[in-house]
């Protein structure tokens, strides 16, 4: 018994015990290193206000990603996907090749071209949840859990979730613990090391 106790204590005394320290996985949130100059990020990287855009800190590497935005205060806003080359000071986004976004008026823009439009009776309002799916080809939109059947495509390269605000808009980002379950086959954004 003494040998067993001695072995347990001696294994724990040195740093070469063979135990692996687990690293805490990073949290997907808005990236304060990739945001417009007049943007304010609060609530642990989940709320955006001010003027401009911000991308998340994790690219969409997996095949089918889902994320949500809650409209806390109405104004000028947009949500979707963008590359790191997107101009996060230019509002509204969707004017160039580097962003594909749903705007507050229900239009979906990419490269200054309207790609699709939400049904007229389904414009997001204050308190609504806008869900976004992306599968490396197509972006789809959900309003309060309901599929809006409003696909859009055209963006290329490594993309990130993006959100922009202006005119007193405040949006909260939900990258996990969703208000509505993701559509079948879609899941929260995973960091690259979580995929393998």
């Amino acid at each position: 018994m003494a040998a067993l106790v001695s072995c347990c204590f001696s294994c724990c005394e040195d740093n070469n015990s063979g135990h692996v320290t687990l690293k805490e996985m990073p949290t997907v949130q808005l990236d304060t290193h990739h945001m417009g100059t007049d943007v304010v990020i609060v609530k642990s990287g989940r709320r955006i206000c001010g003027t401009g855009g911000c991308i998340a800190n994790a690219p969409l590497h997996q095949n089918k990603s889902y994320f949500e935005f809650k409209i806390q205060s109405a104004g000028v806003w947009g949500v979707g996907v963008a590359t790191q080359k997107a101009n996060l000071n230019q509002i509204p986004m969707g004017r160039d090749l580097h962003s594909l976004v749903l705007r507050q008026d229900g239009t979906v823009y990419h490269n200054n071209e309207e790609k699709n439009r939400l049904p007229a009776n389904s414009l997001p309002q204050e308190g609504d949840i806008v869900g976004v799916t992306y599968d490396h080809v197509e972006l789809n939109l959900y309003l309060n859990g309901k599929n809006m059947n409003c696909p859009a495509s055209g963006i290329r390269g490594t993309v990130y979730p993006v959100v922009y605000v202006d005119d007193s808009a405040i949006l909260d980002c939900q990258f996990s613990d969703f208000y509505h379950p993701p559509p079948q086959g879609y899941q929260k954004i995973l960091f690259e090391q979580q995929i393998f």
Side-chain angles (χ1 to χ4, degrees), residues 30-160:
L30 293 176
D31 188 349
T32 56
H33 299 293
H34 291 95
M35 66 182 197
T37 54
D38 295 324
V39 167
V40 178
I41 304 295
V42 294
K43 291 206 165 217
S44 301
R46 290 191 38 238
R47 177 170 284 179
I48 183 172
C49 48
T51 299
C54 186
I55 62 174
N57 63 345
L60 304 179
H61 283 303
Q62 72 217 57
N63 290 335
K64 295 183 174 188
S65 304
Y66 178 76
F67 46 98
E68 296 175 331
F69 299 93
K70 182 173 185 178
I71 305 164
Q72 294 290 0
S73 181
V76 173
W77 58 266
V79 299
V81 294
T83 70
Q84 286 188 329
K85 293 180 180 178
N87 183 346
L88 299 171
N89 290 303
Q90 184 181 53
I91 304 301
M93 293 182 78
R95 294 189 207 181
D96 59 23
L97 292 169
H98 306 295
S99 59
L100 172 63
V101 296
L102 166 68
R103 296 176 176 174
Q104 82 281 348
D105 64 359
T107 58
V108 181
Y109 266 83
H110 171 64
N111 201 24
N112 214 28
E113 179 184 336
E114 185 176 318
K115 293 293 193 172
N116 212 330
R117 174 182 292 267
L118 293 177
N121 62 347
S122 296
L123 295 181
Q125 305 295 316
E126 200 167 286
D128 284 344
I129 309 296
V130 177
V132 179
T133 60
Y134 185 71
D135 65 5
H136 292 282
V137 175
E138 204 170 72
L139 177 134
N140 274 288
L141 301 161
Y142 295 76
L143 183 60
N144 298 319
K146 181 181 176 197
N147 188 342
M148 292 290 97
N149 297 307
C150 187
S153 59
I155 195 165
R156 300 206 187 290
T158 301
V159 298
Y160 299 74

